[in-house]
Amino acid sequence: DQQVKQNSPSLSVQEGRISILNCDYTNSMFDYFLWYKKYPAEGPTFLISISSIKDKNEDGRFTVFLNKSAKHLSLHIVPSQPGDSAVYFCAAKGRGSNYKLTFGKGTLLTVNP
Amino acid sequence: EPEVTQTPSHQVTQMGQEVILRCVPISNHLYFYWYRQILGQKVEFLVSFYNNEISEKSEIFDDQFSVERPDGSNFTLKIRSTKLEDSAMYFCASSGDPSGQETQYFGPGTRLLVL
């Protein structure tokens, strides 16, 4: 069951450059998408979200883009900082439900000084 | 800033024993969840809880699992008879403040090891 896919297990970026993390989904009933950041042995930390009625949401260095026709979303981090190094999870919630999130497998981002 | 807390941070138990994992959700949230992450795998949904009852559960959440909100602040996950494959990080989450905010906020997790 891979309704949410993060096809890149890892990404390495230089400090100050842009990091682009990608996520694809297959379930057209998803209506709310979230990005979480996770350090080892800690819980997922919420970063940014987007509703399916929007195509962009921005919060400081983080921007999420949603392309509903392609069932694709991406997280842009600019400028990237070494402290951004972590695993980033894409998650999605179904329409009409306040319940389960379906997670991708995550992408390990390494930002090199 | 309000946060979800979980205790214990680590739990080691023998196969067949009962364990109770505890969570204190964010105080004005209405929806509560348990997720787990087996080492090297995805974060997986177990159960959601609203208005003092289970609102949704996954196929993982079988009769060995139960949840309870014993008072106004705690939310617990009980595993009646633990199996080796229950070894995982267990995360509690909460969402749904009165404004309708949908974002789920996660606790730091309990690492459960079943021997």
Side-chain angles (χ1 to χ4, degrees):
Chain A
D1 174 12
Q2 283 215 69
Q3 296 187 67
V4 177
K5 301 177 192 178
Q6 293 177 258
N7 291 320
S8 298
S10 63
L11 174 68
S12 185
V13 169
Q14 283 300 117
E15 181 178 5
R17 305 294 290 269
I18 185 170
S19 296
I20 300 176
L21 298 132
N22 293 302
C23 178
D24 297 294
Y25 63 95
T26 57
N27 189 339
S28 57
M29 295 299 287
F30 288 146
D31 67 345
Y32 192 68
F33 303 90
L34 308 92
W35 284 95
Y36 288 87
K37 171 181 175 180
K38 187 179 179 302
Y39 295 114
E42 293 186 11
T45 301
F46 170 71
L47 276 177
I48 192 167
S49 61
I50 188 166
S51 165
S52 60
I53 62 173
K54 295 186 176 182
D55 54 20
K56 178 182 174 181
N57 188 25
E58 194 171 351
D59 183 2
R61 296 186 298 115
F62 302 93
T63 303
V64 56
F65 295 92
L66 176 62
N67 181 336
K68 285 190 292 295
S69 61
K71 293 192 175 70
H72 177 83
L73 63 156
S74 59
L75 174 68
H76 292 210
I77 306 172
V78 55
S80 302
Q81 299 172 353
D84 295 330
S85 298
V87 177
Y88 288 77
F89 290 99
C90 171
K93 187 184 74 65
R95 184 172 301 125
S97 170
N98 244 334
Y99 312 141
K100 69 183 251 185
L101 292 180
T102 301
F103 281 81
K105 288 186 175 181
T107 297
L108 174 62
L109 173 66
T110 304
V111 180
N112 302 301
Chain B
E1 187 174 321
E3 58 182 19
V4 177
T5 59
Q6 290 184 243
T7 54
S9 58
H10 294 79
Q11 174 97 44
V12 181
T13 190
Q14 294 291 323
M15 189 170 59
Q17 294 296 303
E18 175 183 286
V19 295
I20 298 176
L21 310 183
R22 292 183 166 79
C23 168
V24 179
I26 293 172
S27 62
N28 64 348
H29 281 184
L30 302 173
Y31 299 86
F32 315 112
Y33 313 83
W34 284 100
Y35 290 80
R36 78 174 185 189
Q37 186 180 28
I38 294 172
L39 189 64
Q41 298 188 21
K42 287 186 184 186
V43 176
E44 302 174 288
F45 169 81
L46 292 177
V47 66
S48 61
F49 193 85
Y50 169 71
N51 200 26
N52 284 320
E53 60 183 26
I54 290 174
S55 45
E56 188 173 359
K57 61 183 181 179
S58 72
E59 59 274 10
I60 302 168
F61 194 87
D62 62 22
D63 292 344
Q64 293 301 311
F65 292 88
S66 62
V67 290
E68 192 178 29
R69 188 155 163 82
D71 53 43
S73 58
N74 289 285
F75 180 51
T76 62
L77 173 70
K78 182 193 289 186
I79 309 175
R80 287 193 233 304
S81 178
T82 49
K83 302 189 277 285
L84 296 176
E85 54 265 37
D86 294 327
S87 296
M89 280 289 285
Y90 287 81
F91 297 108
C92 174
S94 68
S95 72
D97 66 16
S99 73
Q101 169 66 263
E102 298 186 72
T103 300
Q104 293 183 24
Y105 293 89
F106 285 75
T110 293
R111 182 175 295 283
L112 176 66
L113 179 60
V114 182
L115 301 176

